[in-house]
Structure formats: C-alpha cells, structure tokens
Amino acid sequence: MSGKLVGAEYIWRNGEVVRWEDATVHVLSTAVQFGTSMFEGIRCCDTPNGPCVFRLGAHIERLFHSCRIYRMEPAYSRQEIIDACLTTVERNGLKDCYIRPMVLRGYGAAGLDPADSPIETYVAAWPWGAYLGEDALENGVDVCVSSWNRPAPNTFPVQAKAAGHYNNAQLIKMEAVANGYAEGLVLSTEGRLSEGGGQNVFLVRGGALVTPQLDGSLLRGVTRDAVITMAADLGLEVQERPVPREDLYTADEVFFTGTATEVTPIRSVDRITVGEGKAGPVTKTVQRHFMAVSKGEEEDLHGWLTPVR
Ligand code: PMP
C-alpha cells in the first residue's frame, strides 16, 4: 500500500460504534493465526449530492459470498452491514474515503477447526487517495510480470476476498517494488494472464477491451464489472477470454481496475513500452467515464451510488 494508515475516530464493531484505538482483537484470534478474515474495500466519493458510496450492494454481496465459501455465517444481514458502512462514514464525518468491512473469526479455537471462534464484524473507514498515486492515474505505471503465480484452482478459492490470500498479493507487490515497479501482474498456474496483485487488468486491442475470464485464478472485481457494463454503454466491445502473457507486450493499451486503484493506465510491462508509453485514448475514455460516475458528475444509469445521508 502506498502511504501510512491515518486513522479516523470511530470503528463499527458488532453493532456498536467504538473508538478507533479500542477496535482490537486478541493475538490468538483465528483471524490472526490463520488469516480467516473476509473483507471488502469500498470507495465513497464526495459528490454534488454529498458523500456517495460506489456499488455498496455489490461489495456486500461479494462479502457474503466470501463468507459462504469459508463456511462463515455473519451475525448481521446484508442490510445491517450496508447501514454499518454508511454509519461509519457519517460518524467519522468523512467525505472522500475508503471503507473496509471485515467479517472475521475471533478468539476461541486453538487449532484448525474454527468452530469455537466467534464470528465478528467490523467496519472501518479512512481517507485514502489514489492507491498508485495521482501521477499514476494521469501518466500510468510501470509494471512487471511477477515470478509468483496465482494459486491453482482448488487450492485457494480466489473468488473469496480472504485476508490469507493476500500473502500471495504481498509477495507480488514486494517483489515488484524491490525491482523498481509500481505493481506486479500475475499469471495463473497455466501461465496465462490472471490479474494484478490487487487489481484486475484490461488490454485494448483493435479498439476492443480484452480481460482474462473468471477461470478460478482471479477475483471477480466490482470495478471490472463496472467497466464491462460501462463499455457496453460506450459501445465498446468486450472480450472475456484466456489471455496469453505475450499479448501484454503487443497490446495497444493496458490498464488496471480496482476500488483502490480505480482505472490506472499501464505504460510499460517488463520495461517493454505499451503503445505510446502513456495513457491511450480508450483507457482515457473509460477512466473519465468511471471517475465522472463515481463522483456523481454523470448520470448514475445503473443505480451504483448510495448516498451516505
Ligand atoms: N483482484 C484482487 C486480488 C483484488 O484485491 C482487488 C481489489 N479488491 C481486485 C482484483 C479489484 O476488485 P474491485 O474492483 O472489486 O476492488
């Protein structure tokens, strides 16, 4: 992550609003010992109609899917967690911010059967700017293909956004940064393009958008889905298909999508320049449209914005 975590004042914990510094878990919680925490990352933008959360329902749906995969039953309904997200933003007086709901297994079980660990729910929020930097949004980033792969299907269920999976993402990010890149692109164990360490990826070829299909190696990104929907609105063709690694080097344009990353152009892969080495025209169109909808500057055709108040 770029930058230090700067706290807000309050965190929602199991139905109560507690002070930021009091939202602690025991060091022997199952989540700490084994990474059993399902989470989301959601953006709230200050719009002309006040702060609005982008695709809140879709994120909470994915949170429930992550819990289902890991046999966890949250103690709160979808609507209660949606309300908790809105309360957390409001109580902290935040406008542009990032919201982090978490459903985790707490303290109780000693071993791998987590039945004795209670399932706890937290929602935090804090101000957070462009994940790869403002300059990245404008001029693009240099990335590498990671030496690490995504887990093979039937090892880790990558459709679940589970904390433990992010050890793989951290290896990718740390290796990329150590070698002077902003982020890594990851291949599946079959050697095809999967996604970024913490983002989905799109290529532009002959005016069409191309993105790896959901083959069990990548997360079903909410931003990915938004870009696919917007592409249809813009009359752009989208292909979800297997993508060979080398297509990265010959694409006209490449860009990342993600809640934290937003729509970020990629200007080189493995030091091979992508296109003109700057944000291409299709990337710019998609980025402009995405930002305008998120910020309430363009009509919300798909009901993606939830006002905080
Ligand atoms: N892939 C991974 C591994 C991620 O962590 C993220 C960020 N949640 C994404 C893709 C993008 O997903 P979204 O657009 O829902 O933020």
Side-chain angles (χ1 to χ4, degrees):
M1 295 204 172
S2 55
K4 276 196 175 164
L5 182 55
V6 176
E9 239 177 307
Y10 302 108
I11 289 180
W12 189 96
R13 177 176 69 188
N14 300 328
E16 285 181 315
V17 175
V18 301
R19 296 195 63 78
W20 179 276
E21 53 274 20
D22 295 334
T24 54
V25 295
H26 195 278
V27 68
L28 291 176
S29 296
T30 298
V32 179
Q33 291 202 68
F34 305 118
T36 322
S37 168
M38 306 303 130
F39 70 101
E40 277 300 320
I42 312 172
R43 244 188 217 280
C44 175
C45 286
D46 198 13
T47 79
N49 298 320
C52 284
V53 183
F54 187 71
R55 304 208 63 185
L56 181 54
H59 281 285
I60 300 307
E61 192 61 29
R62 187 171 65 187
L63 180 66
F64 274 72
H65 286 175
S66 301
C67 289
R68 172 65 65 93
I69 292 166
Y70 275 92
R71 300 175 188 265
M72 293 164 73
E73 189 69 53
Y76 300 91
S77 67
R78 287 167 172 73
Q79 190 57 49
E80 285 168 324
I81 297 181
I82 285 173
D83 291 342
C85 290
L86 299 173
T87 299
T88 306
V89 175
E90 191 180 5
R91 282 292 298 274
N92 284 299
L94 293 166
K95 292 192 166 93
D96 283 308
C97 64
Y98 188 80
I99 309 170
R100 164 67 35 88
M102 304 167 82
V103 179
L104 56 85
R105 292 202 191 259
Y107 172 78
L112 288 177
D113 180 353
D116 288 331
S117 294
I119 292 175
E120 299 176 7
T121 308
Y122 293 77
V123 182
W126 62 87
W128 205 13
Y131 178 63
L132 298 172
E134 282 297 333
D135 179 65
L137 288 176
E138 184 66 27
N139 297 315
V141 288
D142 301 308
V143 305
C144 57
V145 173
S146 183
S147 71
W148 297 100
N149 287 135
R150 273 291 180 237
N154 222 19
T155 57
F156 288 90
V158 297
Q159 296 281 347
K161 195 166 164 62
H165 302 180
Y166 284 78
N167 285 309
N168 174 258
Q170 287 185 62
L171 289 169
I172 292 156
K173 178 79 176 181
M174 291 187 295
E175 180 191 60
V177 170
N179 290 322
Y181 299 99
E183 180 55 284
L185 284 164
V186 207
L187 307 181
S188 67
T189 47
E190 270 89 51
R192 295 203 186 82
L193 180 61
S194 175
E195 57 177 347
Q199 310 83 357
N200 292 116
V201 62
F202 284 78
L203 282 62
V204 181
R205 295 182 76 88
L209 298 185
V210 179
T211 196
Q213 65 195 27
L214 299 170
D215 62 357
S217 75
L218 58 133
L219 189 72
R220 187 193 297 268
V222 173
T223 318
R224 175 186 184 277
D225 180 76
V227 165
I228 290 172
T229 305
M230 281 177 180
D233 298 342
L234 294 166
L236 290 169
E237 185 196 339
V238 182
Q239 300 166 8
E240 289 180 69
R241 61 166 171 83
V243 181
R245 169 180 180 162
E246 57 271 31
D247 277 11
L248 285 166
Y249 308 126
T250 57
D252 302 324
E253 305 175 29
V254 185
F255 61 89
F256 276 139
T257 65
T259 297
T261 307
E262 302 172 297
V263 174
T264 296
I266 293 175
R267 66 182 175 203
S268 73
V269 181
D270 295 333
R271 304 278 179 228
I272 298 177
T273 303
V274 174
E276 306 278 303
K278 55 184 191 192
V282 178
T283 305
K284 275 193 185 156
T285 301
V286 171
Q287 188 190 53
R288 208 178 305 122
H289 197 58
F290 173 77
M291 293 305 229
V293 174
S294 313
K295 291 180 179 166
E297 293 162 0
E298 215 170 89
E299 197 187 346
D300 178 17
L301 288 177
H302 304 284
W304 284 342
L305 299 186
T306 305
V308 169
R309 282 172 211 98

